[in-house]
Structures are given as C-alpha cells and as structure tokens.
Amino acid sequence: MARYSPSIQQLIAELSALPGVGKKSAQRMAFHILAMEDEKANSLVDSITTARKLVKRCSVCQNLTDSDPCSICSDVMRDKTTVMVVESPRDVSTFERMHEYKGLYHVLHGVFDPLKRKSLSDTTIAQLLERLSSHPEIKEVIVATNQTAEGNATALYLARLISPSGIKVTRLASGLPMGSDIEYADDLTLASALRGRIDLDGE
Amino acid sequence: MARYSPSIQQLIAELSALPGVGKKSAQRMAFHILAMEDEKANSLVDSITTARKLVKRCSVCQNLTDSDPCSICSDVMRDKTTVMVVESPRDVSTFERMHEYKGLYHVLHGVFDPLKRKSLSDTTIAQLLERLSSHPEIKEVIVATNQTAEGNATALYLARLISPSGIKVTRLASGLPMGSDIEYADDLTLASALRGRIDLDGE
C-alpha cells in the first residue's frame, strides 16, 4: 500500500533529491508546499523557472549573473588590474560581503579533483588564460581556491601556467584564524602559519 | 552591492521560506537547481504544480489524496467499523507503515491549540461528526492525536462529543516506549504508565 498518493510521493521524491534534504524534511516541505496560498506557490515555482532562464555565466568572469557582463565586471569603480580566482559563485559572494576587495573575479566552477573525476577542463581555466592574454591591464592574479589538497593543487597549476607571462600570481595567506587559540589549532594549520611567518620589524 | 544577481536572490529567498531550510541550505539548493539538467528541473517544477493541482482532501476521511475517495476509504478489504482519528496525513502514513491497523482514518488537519490561535473549527471535527451519523456501521473511534496538551484536550473533547451516540471512543495507550529504561523515563510518562497499568493475570 502506497504511503502517500502518487503525486505527493513524486513531490517528496523530487524534494529529497535536493542537497541536504532528507526524507523527513522533504515530507515537511511537501506538505508545506501543498498548504501554501496559490500566490506563494506560484512565486516559488516562478523563482525556479525565472532564475534558470535568466541566470548565465558572465562572459568575462564566469560568475553566475542575470546580465552579461555581470554587475562587478561592468562596475567602473573596480580595480581592473587585479583578478581574484575563486572556485564558486558563493566565494564571490563571501568576498563581496567583506567589502574590502575592490578588484575583479574569475570563477573556476570547480577545481582539479581526481576523486570526483573532475579534470581541469571542467573548470574555466581556459577562459582565464584567454582573458589574461586579451586584457594586458591585469597585473596580479590572486588565487583564492580553498585550502584543500584540490584547491592547492589547482593554485600551483595556475601559478605555473600564468607566471611565465609576467603576471604576478599570489595565494591567500593560510595560518591561524584571527582570535584562535594555538592550543586548538591543527598541525597542518600550525605548520602553514609557521612557514608563512611575517617579520614584525617590517620589511 | 548585491551579493547575487536578482533572480538568484529571489530563488534563495523563496527556498528559505520552506520549513527547516536556512539561508545556507537555501543557497546550496539554489545553486543545485541552477546547475540541474533541464529535464530534472522541469520534473521538479512539474511535481510541485501537479501535486498542487491533483491533491485534494478525501471527502470521506479528509486525508490528502489524488483520487476521491482515497485509496484507503475505497479499499473493500478495510474494516469499516473502526475509524482512527489522527492529526495529520503524516500520521496516516506512519500507521500504514506499521501494517497492523486495518480500519479507516479521519484526518483532523490540526488540533485545538489556543497558542497558535487554532480553534476546533479549523479542524475537520464537524465532518467527523457528520460521517459518524451517516455511517451507522462505525462502532469505534480510536483517538490517535499526539500525546501533547493540545492532542489530549482534543481527545477529551471528541470523547465528550461522540460517546453519547453510543459509539465506543478509545485513546492510544500512553506509557513507556518498548525497550526503554525506567531510569530515563520522564515523570509524565511514568505517571501515565502507572495509571494505565494492565493486569498480567488477564481480564
């Protein structure tokens, strides 16, 4: 005997397929959706179809955007000489929240990850190289991939590809998080903080 | 500066409004939806619109169903003399999973809950009384509302409404969960298990 009517079961199955949504939460979401006002349900469905229709990759930085080029690439106030390379659109949003970085971005949409069968051609590295060669004003590439094995491998690979062209390639500092206790730091972070130690007398 | 393009922000806002979905999970879900194959995205949207179009309340038991009467009410093998009153369609699914109960259901779609401004007229108690009076074959009503203050109040109210008609009204036993330790039981459960103690010599 089916536990729910077919259309409810189908809805629960579709919702369970979303990331981080288990069977129980999918059930709660399904009954919530069924109980919604028509207007709210339409607005939920519209937001999905509209976003899927409008959102594309910016032809310059490959970030997801409604308008091409994106609002960051077309912002005349941004520093066009610096490009920060990040793994995902979420990383752009994190840096923008900080309100400190004023340069441009390049979104890789992935990193080299043999375990997930992701090769470098699944990323937008080719578009980055093309962009660097057609925009001589770019003087520095900040590699801000995650501090993971894959992120580091990708960073080293990018440095090897880009450095010969004379563009400066930098990597975000790794080390102890601000406000953290040395006692609780893991060995890799400690080692990295030691290697990257800075001269307190100034340079 | 907007953190995401307008259509992505809208999608994240809509997803955050679902129960149990926080800002971070909404972001993950949004990017997952944006990256989906067209076919899968259509199937997600279709499941929402189809379920909302097809699903209605069964005219007999008020459970959510695609076909009226629902598959349980129209099943000739079910025992038509017993009706179990539950709070929500999810409770029906829980009992059906057990494969032990063979009677019919009545879904209240709520309980008396003054804190949430839910009165008895928000439930399907009126439909239950109507159903009992037009179906003289019903001999027992099992009240399976939750073991909460609201569920208990609703159960007592139902008993007072229905008992005069000569229909037997019962309530699910409350007590110690199977396999549980007395040491860890809360006082209310222990008191209820004591009050509901059964005679081991048989009746």
Side-chain angles (χ1 to χ4, degrees), chain A residues 1 3-8 10-11 14 17-21 27-29 31-34 36-38 41 43-45 47-48 51-52 54-55 64-66 75 89-90 93 96-97, chain B residues 1 3-8 10-11 14 17-21 27-29 31-34 36-38 41 43-45 47-48 51-52 54-55 64-66 75 78 89-90 93 96-97:
Chain A
M1 162 97 37
R3 294 178 51 199
Y4 293 113
S5 72
S7 72
I8 300 182
Q10 178 64 23
L11 177 57
E14 293 288 342
L18 294 174
V21 180
Q27 285 183 19
R28 282 182 63 201
M29 285 162 62
F31 285 110
H32 181 89
I33 288 173
L34 288 172
M36 273 178 170
E37 307 279 323
D38 277 349
S43 139
L44 169 65
V45 166
S47 74
I48 296 176
R52 285 186 53 88
L54 290 186
V55 172
L64 297 180
T65 176
D66 293 358
D75 182 349
R90 267 177 287 180
S93 132
E96 287 301 292
R97 207 176 49 204
Chain B
M1 163 95 38
R3 293 178 51 200
Y4 292 113
S5 73
S7 71
I8 300 182
Q10 179 63 23
L11 177 57
E14 293 288 340
L18 295 174
V21 180
Q27 284 183 19
R28 282 182 64 200
M29 286 163 62
F31 284 110
H32 180 89
I33 288 173
L34 288 171
M36 273 176 170
E37 306 280 323
D38 277 349
S43 140
L44 169 64
V45 166
S47 73
I48 296 176
R52 285 185 54 89
L54 290 186
V55 173
L64 297 181
T65 177
D66 293 358
D75 182 348
R78 310 286 300 212
R90 268 177 287 179
S93 131
E96 287 301 292
R97 206 177 49 205

Coordinates of all heavy atoms in Angstrom, one line a residue, chain A residues 1 3-8 10-11 14 17-21 27-29 31-34 36-38 41 43-45 47-48 51-52 54-55 64-66 75 89-90 93 96-97, chain B residues 1 3-8 10-11 14 17-21 27-29 31-34 36-38 41 43-45 47-48 51-52 54-55 64-66 75 78 89-90 93 96-97:
Chain A
M1 N 0.8 -1.2 0.0 CA 0.0 0.0 0.0 C 0.9 1.2 0.0 O 1.8 1.4 0.8 CB -0.9 0.0 1.2 CG -1.5 1.3 1.6 SD -3.2 1.6 1.0 CE -3.9 0.0 1.1
R3 N 2.2 4.8 0.7 CA 2.1 5.6 2.0 C 1.4 7.0 1.7 O 0.7 7.5 2.5 CB 3.4 5.8 2.6 CG 4.0 4.5 3.1 CD 5.4 4.7 3.6 NE 5.4 5.8 4.6 CZ 6.4 6.5 5.0 NH1 7.6 6.2 4.5 NH2 6.3 7.4 5.9
Y4 N 1.7 7.5 0.5 CA 1.0 8.8 0.1 C 0.5 8.6 -1.3 O 0.8 7.7 -2.0 CB 2.0 9.9 0.2 CG 2.5 10.3 1.5 CD1 3.9 10.1 1.9 CD2 1.7 10.8 2.5 CE1 4.3 10.4 3.1 CE2 2.1 11.1 3.8 CZ 3.5 10.9 4.1 OH 3.9 11.2 5.3
S5 N -0.4 9.6 -1.7 CA -0.9 9.5 -3.0 C 0.2 9.7 -4.0 O 1.2 10.3 -3.6 CB -2.0 10.5 -3.2 OG -1.4 11.8 -3.2
P6 N 0.1 9.2 -5.2 CA 1.2 9.2 -6.2 C 1.8 10.6 -6.4 O 3.1 10.8 -6.4 CB 0.6 8.7 -7.5 CG -0.5 7.9 -7.1 CD -1.0 8.5 -5.8
S7 N 1.0 11.7 -6.5 CA 1.6 13.0 -6.7 C 2.3 13.5 -5.5 O 3.3 14.2 -5.7 CB 0.5 14.0 -7.2 OG -0.4 14.3 -6.1
I8 N 1.9 13.2 -4.3 CA 2.6 13.6 -3.1 C 3.9 12.8 -3.1 O 5.0 13.4 -2.8 CB 1.8 13.4 -1.8 CG1 0.5 14.1 -1.9 CG2 2.6 13.7 -0.6 CD1 -0.4 14.0 -0.6
Q10 N 5.6 11.7 -5.5 CA 6.5 12.3 -6.5 C 7.2 13.6 -6.0 O 8.4 13.8 -6.2 CB 5.7 12.5 -7.8 CG 6.5 13.1 -9.0 CD 7.6 12.2 -9.4 OE1 7.6 11.0 -9.3 NE2 8.7 12.8 -10.1
L11 N 6.3 14.4 -5.4 CA 6.8 15.7 -4.9 C 7.9 15.4 -3.8 O 9.0 16.1 -3.9 CB 5.7 16.5 -4.3 CG 6.0 17.8 -3.7 CD1 6.7 18.8 -4.6 CD2 4.7 18.5 -3.2
E14 N 11.1 14.3 -5.5 CA 11.9 15.4 -6.1 C 12.6 16.3 -5.1 O 13.7 16.7 -5.3 CB 10.9 16.3 -6.9 CG 10.3 15.6 -8.2 CD 11.3 15.4 -9.3 OE1 12.4 16.0 -9.3 OE2 11.0 14.5 -10.1
A17 N 15.7 14.9 -3.5 CA 16.9 14.9 -4.4 C 17.7 16.2 -4.3 O 18.9 16.3 -4.7 CB 16.5 14.7 -5.9
L18 N 17.2 17.2 -3.6 CA 17.9 18.5 -3.4 C 19.0 18.2 -2.3 O 18.8 17.4 -1.4 CB 17.0 19.6 -2.9 CG 15.9 20.0 -4.0 CD1 15.0 21.0 -3.4 CD2 16.6 20.6 -5.2
P19 N 20.1 19.0 -2.4 CA 21.2 18.7 -1.5 C 20.8 19.1 0.0 O 20.2 20.1 0.2 CB 22.3 19.6 -2.0 CG 21.6 20.7 -2.7 CD 20.4 20.1 -3.3
G20 N 21.2 18.2 0.9 CA 20.9 18.5 2.3 C 19.5 18.3 2.7 O 19.1 18.6 3.8
V21 N 18.7 17.7 1.8 CA 17.2 17.5 2.2 C 17.0 16.0 2.3 O 17.1 15.2 1.4 CB 16.3 18.0 1.1 CG1 14.9 17.8 1.5 CG2 16.5 19.5 0.9
Q27 N 9.3 15.6 3.3 CA 7.9 15.4 3.7 C 7.3 16.7 4.2 O 6.3 17.2 3.8 CB 7.7 14.3 4.7 CG 7.8 12.9 4.2 CD 7.5 11.9 5.2 OE1 6.9 12.1 6.2 NE2 8.0 10.6 5.0
R28 N 8.1 17.3 5.2 CA 7.6 18.6 5.8 C 7.5 19.6 4.7 O 6.5 20.4 4.6 CB 8.6 19.1 6.8 CG 8.5 18.4 8.1 CD 9.5 19.0 9.1 NE 9.2 20.4 9.5 CZ 10.1 21.2 10.0 NH1 11.3 20.8 10.2 NH2 9.7 22.4 10.3
M29 N 8.5 19.7 3.8 CA 8.5 20.7 2.7 C 7.3 20.5 1.8 O 6.6 21.4 1.4 CB 9.8 20.7 2.0 CG 10.9 21.3 2.7 SD 12.6 20.9 2.1 CE 12.5 21.6 0.4
F31 N 4.4 19.0 2.4 CA 3.1 19.3 3.0 C 2.9 20.8 3.1 O 1.9 21.4 3.0 CB 2.8 18.6 4.3 CG 2.5 17.2 4.1 CD1 3.4 16.2 4.5 CD2 1.3 16.8 3.5 CE1 3.1 14.8 4.2 CE2 0.9 15.5 3.3 CZ 1.8 14.5 3.7
H32 N 4.1 21.5 3.4 CA 4.1 23.0 3.4 C 3.7 23.5 2.0 O 2.8 24.4 1.9 CB 5.5 23.5 3.8 CG 5.6 24.9 3.9 ND1 5.3 25.6 5.1 CD2 5.9 25.9 3.0 CE1 5.5 26.9 4.8 NE2 5.9 27.1 3.6
I33 N 4.3 23.0 1.0 CA 4.0 23.4 -0.4 C 2.5 23.2 -0.8 O 1.9 24.0 -1.4 CB 5.0 22.7 -1.4 CG1 6.4 23.3 -1.2 CG2 4.5 22.9 -2.8 CD1 7.4 22.6 -2.0
L34 N 2.0 22.0 -0.3 CA 0.6 21.7 -0.6 C -0.3 22.7 0.1 O -1.4 23.0 -0.4 CB 0.3 20.3 -0.2 CG 0.9 19.2 -1.1 CD1 0.7 17.8 -0.6 CD2 0.3 19.3 -2.5
M36 N 0.3 25.8 0.8 CA 0.6 27.2 0.5 C -0.6 27.9 -0.2 O -1.4 27.2 -0.9 CB 1.7 27.3 -0.5 CG 3.1 27.3 0.1 SD 4.3 27.4 -1.2 CE 5.8 27.7 -0.3
E37 N -0.7 29.2 0.0 CA -1.6 30.0 -0.9 C -1.2 29.9 -2.3 O 0.0 29.7 -2.6 CB -1.5 31.5 -0.5 CG -1.7 31.8 0.9 CD -3.1 31.9 1.3 OE1 -3.9 32.4 0.5 OE2 -3.5 31.4 2.4
D38 N -2.1 29.9 -3.3 CA -1.8 29.8 -4.7 C -0.7 30.8 -5.1 O 0.3 30.5 -5.7 CB -3.0 30.1 -5.6 CG -3.8 28.9 -5.7 OD1 -3.4 27.8 -5.3 OD2 -5.0 29.0 -6.2
A41 N 2.8 29.8 -3.9 CA 3.3 28.6 -4.6 C 3.7 29.0 -6.0 O 4.8 28.6 -6.5 CB 2.2 27.5 -4.7
S43 N 4.8 31.9 -6.8 CA 6.0 32.7 -6.7 C 7.2 31.8 -6.5 O 8.3 32.0 -7.0 CB 5.8 33.7 -5.6 OG 6.9 33.9 -4.8
L44 N 7.0 30.6 -5.8 CA 8.1 29.7 -5.6 C 8.5 29.0 -7.0 O 9.7 29.0 -7.4 CB 7.7 28.6 -4.6 CG 8.6 27.3 -4.6 CD1 10.0 27.7 -4.0 CD2 8.0 26.2 -3.7
V45 N 7.5 28.6 -7.7 CA 7.7 27.9 -9.0 C 8.3 29.0 -10.0 O 9.3 28.6 -10.7 CB 6.4 27.4 -9.6 CG1 6.6 27.0 -11.0 CG2 6.0 26.1 -8.8
S47 N 10.2 31.5 -9.2 CA 11.6 31.9 -8.9 C 12.5 30.8 -9.5 O 13.6 31.1 -9.9 CB 11.7 32.0 -7.4 OG 11.7 30.7 -6.8
I48 N 12.0 29.5 -9.5 CA 12.9 28.5 -10.1 C 13.0 28.7 -11.6 O 14.1 28.7 -12.2 CB 12.3 27.1 -9.8 CG1 12.3 26.8 -8.3 CG2 13.1 26.0 -10.5 CD1 11.6 25.5 -7.9
A51 N 14.9 32.1 -12.5 CA 16.3 32.0 -12.3 C 17.0 31.1 -13.3 O 18.0 31.5 -13.9 CB 16.6 31.5 -10.9
R52 N 16.4 30.0 -13.6 CA 17.0 29.1 -14.6 C 17.0 29.7 -16.0 O 17.9 29.4 -16.8 CB 16.3 27.7 -14.6 CG 16.6 26.9 -13.4 CD 16.0 25.5 -13.6 NE 16.4 24.9 -14.8 CZ 17.5 24.1 -15.0 NH1 18.3 23.9 -14.1 NH2 17.7 23.6 -16.2
L54 N 17.1 33.2 -16.6 CA 17.9 34.4 -16.7 C 19.3 34.2 -16.4 O 20.2 34.8 -17.0 CB 17.3 35.4 -15.7 CG 16.0 36.1 -16.0 CD1 15.7 37.1 -14.9 CD2 16.0 36.6 -17.4
V55 N 19.6 33.2 -15.5 CA 21.0 33.1 -15.0 C 21.9 32.5 -16.0 O 21.6 31.4 -16.5 CB 21.0 32.4 -13.6 CG1 22.5 32.1 -13.2 CG2 20.3 33.1 -12.5
L64 N 28.0 33.6 -12.0 CA 26.6 33.5 -12.5 C 25.9 34.9 -12.4 O 26.1 35.6 -11.4 CB 25.8 32.5 -11.6 CG 26.3 31.1 -11.6 CD1 25.5 30.2 -10.7 CD2 26.3 30.5 -13.1
T65 N 25.2 35.2 -13.4 CA 24.6 36.6 -13.4 C 23.4 36.6 -14.3 O 23.1 35.8 -15.1 CB 25.7 37.6 -14.1 OG1 25.1 38.9 -14.2 CG2 26.1 37.1 -15.5
D66 N 22.5 37.7 -14.0 CA 21.3 37.8 -14.9 C 21.7 38.7 -16.1 O 21.1 38.5 -17.2 CB 20.2 38.6 -14.1 CG 19.7 37.8 -13.0 OD1 20.1 36.6 -12.8 OD2 18.8 38.3 -12.3
D75 N 31.3 47.3 -13.4 CA 31.4 48.4 -12.4 C 32.7 49.2 -12.7 O 33.8 48.7 -12.5 CB 31.4 47.8 -11.0 CG 31.4 48.9 -9.9 OD1 31.7 50.1 -10.3 OD2 31.2 48.5 -8.8
P89 N 30.6 30.7 -7.3 CA 30.0 31.9 -7.1 C 29.8 32.3 -5.7 O 29.7 33.5 -5.3 CB 28.6 31.7 -7.8 CG 28.9 30.6 -8.8 CD 29.9 29.7 -8.2
R90 N 29.6 31.3 -4.8 CA 29.4 31.5 -3.4 C 30.7 32.2 -2.8 O 30.6 33.0 -1.9 CB 29.2 30.2 -2.6 CG 27.7 30.0 -2.5 CD 27.4 28.7 -1.8 NE 27.7 27.6 -2.7 CZ 27.6 26.3 -2.3 NH1 27.2 26.0 -1.1 NH2 27.8 25.3 -3.2
S93 N 30.5 35.9 -3.4 CA 29.5 36.5 -2.5 C 30.2 36.7 -1.1 O 30.0 37.7 -0.5 CB 28.3 35.7 -2.4 OG 27.9 35.4 -1.1
E96 N 32.6 39.6 -1.4 CA 31.8 40.9 -1.5 C 31.2 41.3 -0.2 O 31.1 42.5 0.1 CB 30.7 40.7 -2.6 CG 31.3 40.7 -4.0 CD 32.0 41.9 -4.4 OE1 31.4 43.0 -4.5 OE2 33.3 41.8 -4.5
R97 N 30.8 40.3 0.6 CA 30.3 40.7 1.9 C 31.3 41.4 2.8 O 30.9 42.2 3.7 CB 29.9 39.3 2.6 CG 28.7 39.4 3.6 CD 28.4 38.0 4.1 NE 29.6 37.3 4.5 CZ 29.7 36.0 4.6 NH1 28.6 35.2 4.2 NH2 30.7 35.4 5.0
Chain B
M1 N 26.1 46.7 -2.6 CA 26.3 45.8 -3.8 C 25.6 44.5 -3.5 O 25.8 43.9 -2.4 CB 27.8 45.6 -4.0 CG 28.1 44.4 -4.8 SD 28.4 44.7 -6.6 CE 29.2 46.3 -6.5
R3 N 24.7 40.7 -3.3 CA 25.6 39.6 -3.2 C 25.4 38.6 -4.4 O 26.4 38.0 -4.8 CB 25.4 38.8 -1.9 CG 25.9 39.7 -0.7 CD 25.6 39.0 0.6 NE 26.2 37.7 0.5 CZ 25.8 36.7 1.3 NH1 24.9 36.9 2.2 NH2 26.4 35.6 1.3
Y4 N 24.2 38.4 -4.8 CA 23.9 37.6 -6.0 C 23.1 38.4 -7.0 O 22.5 39.4 -6.6 CB 23.2 36.3 -5.6 CG 24.0 35.4 -4.7 CD1 23.7 35.2 -3.4 CD2 25.1 34.7 -5.2 CE1 24.4 34.3 -2.6 CE2 25.9 33.9 -4.4 CZ 25.5 33.7 -3.1 OH 26.3 32.8 -2.4
S5 N 23.0 37.9 -8.2 CA 22.1 38.5 -9.1 C 20.6 38.4 -8.6 O 20.3 37.5 -7.9 CB 22.2 37.9 -10.5 OG 21.6 36.6 -10.5
P6 N 19.8 39.4 -9.1 CA 18.4 39.4 -8.5 C 17.7 38.1 -8.6 O 17.0 37.7 -7.6 CB 17.7 40.5 -9.4 CG 18.8 41.4 -9.9 CD 20.0 40.5 -10.0
S7 N 17.7 37.4 -9.7 CA 16.9 36.2 -9.8 C 17.5 35.1 -8.9 O 16.7 34.3 -8.4 CB 16.9 35.7 -11.3 OG 18.1 35.2 -11.7
I8 N 18.8 35.1 -8.7 CA 19.3 34.1 -7.7 C 18.9 34.5 -6.3 O 18.5 33.6 -5.5 CB 20.9 34.0 -7.8 CG1 21.3 33.6 -9.2 CG2 21.4 33.0 -6.8 CD1 22.8 33.5 -9.4
Q10 N 16.2 36.0 -5.4 CA 14.8 35.7 -5.3 C 14.6 34.2 -5.1 O 13.8 33.8 -4.2 CB 14.1 36.1 -6.6 CG 12.6 35.8 -6.6 CD 11.8 36.6 -5.6 OE1 12.3 37.6 -5.1 NE2 10.7 36.1 -5.2
L11 N 15.3 33.4 -5.8 CA 15.2 31.9 -5.7 C 15.7 31.5 -4.3 O 15.0 30.7 -3.6 CB 16.1 31.3 -6.7 CG 16.2 29.7 -6.7 CD1 14.8 29.1 -6.8 CD2 17.1 29.2 -7.8
E14 N 12.9 32.4 -1.8 CA 11.7 31.5 -1.8 C 12.1 30.2 -1.2 O 11.2 29.6 -0.4 CB 11.3 31.3 -3.3 CG 10.8 32.5 -4.0 CD 9.4 32.9 -3.6 OE1 8.7 32.0 -3.0 OE2 9.0 34.0 -3.8
A17 N 12.1 30.2 2.6 CA 10.8 30.2 3.3 C 10.2 28.8 3.5 O 9.2 28.7 4.3 CB 9.8 31.0 2.4
L18 N 10.8 27.8 3.0 CA 10.3 26.4 3.2 C 10.7 26.0 4.7 O 11.7 26.5 5.2 CB 10.9 25.5 2.2 CG 10.5 25.7 0.8 CD1 11.3 24.8 -0.2 CD2 9.0 25.5 0.6
P19 N 9.9 25.2 5.3 CA 10.2 24.8 6.7 C 11.5 24.0 6.8 O 11.8 23.2 6.0 CB 9.0 23.9 7.1 CG 8.5 23.4 5.8 CD 8.7 24.4 4.7
G20 N 12.3 24.4 7.8 CA 13.6 23.7 8.0 C 14.7 24.1 7.1 O 15.8 23.4 7.1
V21 N 14.5 25.1 6.2 CA 15.5 25.5 5.3 C 16.1 26.8 5.7 O 15.4 27.8 5.7 CB 15.0 25.6 3.8 CG1 16.1 26.0 2.9 CG2 14.4 24.2 3.4
Q27 N 20.9 28.5 -0.2 CA 22.0 28.8 -1.2 C 22.4 27.5 -1.9 O 22.5 27.5 -3.1 CB 23.2 29.5 -0.5 CG 23.0 30.9 -0.2 CD 24.2 31.5 0.4 OE1 25.3 31.0 0.2 NE2 24.0 32.6 1.1
R28 N 22.7 26.5 -1.1 CA 23.1 25.2 -1.7 C 22.1 24.7 -2.7 O 22.4 24.2 -3.8 CB 23.4 24.2 -0.7 CG 24.7 24.4 0.0 CD 24.9 23.2 1.0 NE 25.1 21.9 0.4 CZ 24.9 20.8 1.1 NH1 24.5 20.8 2.3 NH2 25.0 19.6 0.4
M29 N 20.8 24.7 -2.2 CA 19.7 24.2 -3.0 C 19.6 25.1 -4.3 O 19.4 24.5 -5.4 CB 18.4 24.3 -2.3 CG 18.3 23.2 -1.2 SD 17.0 23.5 0.1 CE 15.6 23.5 -1.0
F31 N 21.9 26.8 -6.0 CA 22.9 26.6 -7.0 C 22.8 25.2 -7.6 O 23.1 25.0 -8.7 CB 24.3 26.8 -6.3 CG 24.7 28.2 -6.2 CD1 24.7 28.8 -5.0 CD2 24.8 29.0 -7.3 CE1 25.0 30.2 -4.8 CE2 25.1 30.4 -7.2 CZ 25.2 30.9 -6.0
H32 N 22.3 24.2 -6.8 CA 22.0 22.9 -7.3 C 20.9 23.0 -8.4 O 21.0 22.4 -9.4 CB 21.5 22.0 -6.1 CG 21.2 20.6 -6.5 ND1 22.2 19.6 -6.6 CD2 20.1 20.0 -7.0 CE1 21.6 18.5 -7.0 NE2 20.3 18.7 -7.2
I33 N 19.8 23.8 -8.1 CA 18.7 23.9 -9.0 C 19.2 24.6 -10.3 O 18.9 24.2 -11.4 CB 17.6 24.7 -8.4 CG1 16.9 23.8 -7.3 CG2 16.6 25.2 -9.5 CD1 15.8 24.5 -6.5
L34 N 20.1 25.6 -10.2 CA 20.6 26.3 -11.4 C 21.5 25.4 -12.2 O 21.5 25.5 -13.4 CB 21.4 27.5 -10.9 CG 20.6 28.7 -10.4 CD1 21.5 29.7 -9.8 CD2 19.7 29.2 -11.5
M36 N 21.1 22.1 -12.5 CA 20.4 20.9 -12.9 C 20.2 20.8 -14.5 O 20.2 21.8 -15.1 CB 19.0 20.9 -12.4 CG 18.8 20.3 -11.0 SD 17.0 20.6 -10.6 CE 16.9 19.6 -9.1
E37 N 20.1 19.6 -15.0 CA 19.7 19.3 -16.3 C 18.3 19.9 -16.5 O 17.5 19.9 -15.6 CB 19.6 17.8 -16.7 CG 20.9 17.1 -16.4 CD 21.9 17.2 -17.5 OE1 21.5 17.3 -18.6 OE2 23.1 17.3 -17.2
D38 N 18.0 20.4 -17.7 CA 16.6 20.9 -18.0 C 15.6 19.9 -17.6 O 14.6 20.3 -16.9 CB 16.4 21.3 -19.5 CG 17.0 22.6 -19.8 OD1 17.4 23.4 -18.8 OD2 17.2 22.9 -21.0
A41 N 15.1 19.7 -13.8 CA 14.4 20.9 -13.3 C 13.0 21.0 -13.6 O 12.1 21.3 -12.8 CB 15.1 22.2 -13.8
S43 N 11.1 18.4 -14.1 CA 10.4 17.4 -13.3 C 10.2 17.9 -11.9 O 9.2 17.6 -11.3 CB 11.2 16.1 -13.4 OG 11.3 15.4 -12.2
L44 N 11.1 18.7 -11.3 CA 10.9 19.3 -10.0 C 9.7 20.2 -10.0 O 8.8 20.2 -9.2 CB 12.2 20.0 -9.6 CG 12.1 20.9 -8.3 CD1 11.8 20.1 -7.1 CD2 13.4 21.7 -8.1
V45 N 9.8 21.2 -11.0 CA 8.7 22.1 -11.1 C 7.3 21.5 -11.3 O 6.3 21.8 -10.7 CB 9.0 23.2 -12.2 CG1 7.8 24.0 -12.5 CG2 10.1 24.1 -11.8
S47 N 6.5 18.5 -10.4 CA 6.0 17.8 -9.3 C 5.3 18.7 -8.3 O 4.3 18.3 -7.7 CB 7.1 17.1 -8.6 OG 7.9 18.0 -7.9
I48 N 5.7 20.0 -8.3 CA 5.0 21.0 -7.4 C 3.7 21.3 -8.0 O 2.7 21.2 -7.3 CB 5.9 22.2 -7.3 CG1 7.2 21.9 -6.6 CG2 5.1 23.3 -6.5 CD1 8.2 23.1 -6.5
A51 N 1.2 18.2 -8.0 CA 0.7 17.8 -6.7 C -0.3 18.8 -6.2 O -1.4 18.5 -5.7 CB 1.9 17.7 -5.7
R52 N 0.0 20.1 -6.5 CA -0.9 21.2 -6.0 C -2.2 21.1 -6.8 O -3.3 21.4 -6.3 CB -0.3 22.5 -6.1 CG 0.7 22.8 -5.0 CD 1.2 24.2 -5.1 NE 0.2 25.2 -5.1 CZ -0.4 25.7 -4.0 NH1 0.0 25.4 -2.8 NH2 -1.4 26.6 -4.1
L54 N -3.5 18.2 -8.3 CA -4.2 16.9 -8.1 C -4.7 16.7 -6.6 O -5.7 16.1 -6.4 CB -3.3 15.7 -8.5 CG -3.1 15.6 -10.0 CD1 -2.3 14.3 -10.2 CD2 -4.4 15.6 -10.8
V55 N -3.8 17.1 -5.7 CA -4.1 16.7 -4.3 C -5.3 17.5 -3.7 O -5.3 18.7 -3.8 CB -2.9 16.9 -3.4 CG1 -3.2 16.7 -2.0 CG2 -1.7 16.0 -3.9
L64 N -5.2 13.7 2.5 CA -4.8 14.2 1.2 C -4.7 13.1 0.2 O -4.2 12.1 0.5 CB -3.5 15.0 1.3 CG -3.5 16.2 2.2 CD1 -2.2 16.9 2.2 CD2 -4.6 17.2 1.8
T65 N -5.3 13.3 -1.0 CA -5.4 12.2 -1.9 C -5.4 12.8 -3.3 O -5.8 13.9 -3.5 CB -6.6 11.3 -1.7 OG1 -6.7 10.4 -2.7 CG2 -7.9 12.2 -1.7
D66 N -5.0 12.0 -4.3 CA -5.2 12.4 -5.7 C -6.6 12.0 -6.2 O -7.1 12.6 -7.1 CB -4.2 11.6 -6.6 CG -2.7 12.1 -6.3 OD1 -2.6 13.0 -5.5 OD2 -1.8 11.6 -7.0
D75 N -10.9 1.0 -0.3 CA -10.4 -0.4 -0.2 C -11.4 -1.3 0.5 O -11.7 -1.1 1.7 CB -9.1 -0.3 0.6 CG -8.4 -1.7 0.6 OD1 -9.1 -2.7 0.3 OD2 -7.3 -1.8 1.1
R78 N -10.7 -3.1 3.9 CA -10.6 -2.4 5.2 C -11.8 -2.6 6.1 O -12.9 -2.7 5.6 CB -10.3 -0.9 5.1 CG -9.2 -0.5 4.1 CD -7.8 -0.7 4.5 NE -7.4 0.0 5.7 CZ -6.2 0.4 5.9 NH1 -5.2 0.3 5.0 NH2 -5.9 1.0 7.1
P89 N -2.0 14.0 7.8 CA -1.7 13.0 6.8 C -0.5 12.2 7.1 O -0.4 11.0 6.8 CB -1.6 13.7 5.5 CG -2.3 15.0 5.7 CD -2.1 15.4 7.1
R90 N 0.5 12.8 7.7 CA 1.7 12.1 8.0 C 1.5 11.0 9.0 O 2.1 9.9 9.0 CB 2.8 13.1 8.6 CG 3.7 13.6 7.4 CD 4.7 14.6 8.0 NE 4.0 15.8 8.3 CZ 4.6 16.9 8.8 NH1 5.9 16.8 9.0 NH2 4.0 18.0 9.0
S93 N 0.3 8.0 7.3 CA 1.4 7.3 6.6 C 2.2 6.5 7.7 O 2.6 5.3 7.4 CB 2.3 8.3 5.9 OG 3.6 8.1 6.2
E96 N 0.1 3.3 8.5 CA 0.1 2.4 7.3 C 1.5 1.7 7.2 O 1.5 0.5 6.8 CB -0.2 3.2 6.0 CG -1.6 3.6 5.9 CD -2.5 2.5 6.0 OE1 -2.5 1.7 5.0 OE2 -3.3 2.3 7.0
R97 N 2.5 2.4 7.6 CA 3.9 1.7 7.5 C 3.9 0.5 8.4 O 4.7 -0.4 8.2 CB 4.9 2.8 7.9 CG 6.3 2.6 7.4 CD 7.2 3.7 7.8 NE 7.1 4.0 9.2 CZ 7.4 5.1 9.8 NH1 7.7 6.2 9.0 NH2 7.3 5.3 11.1

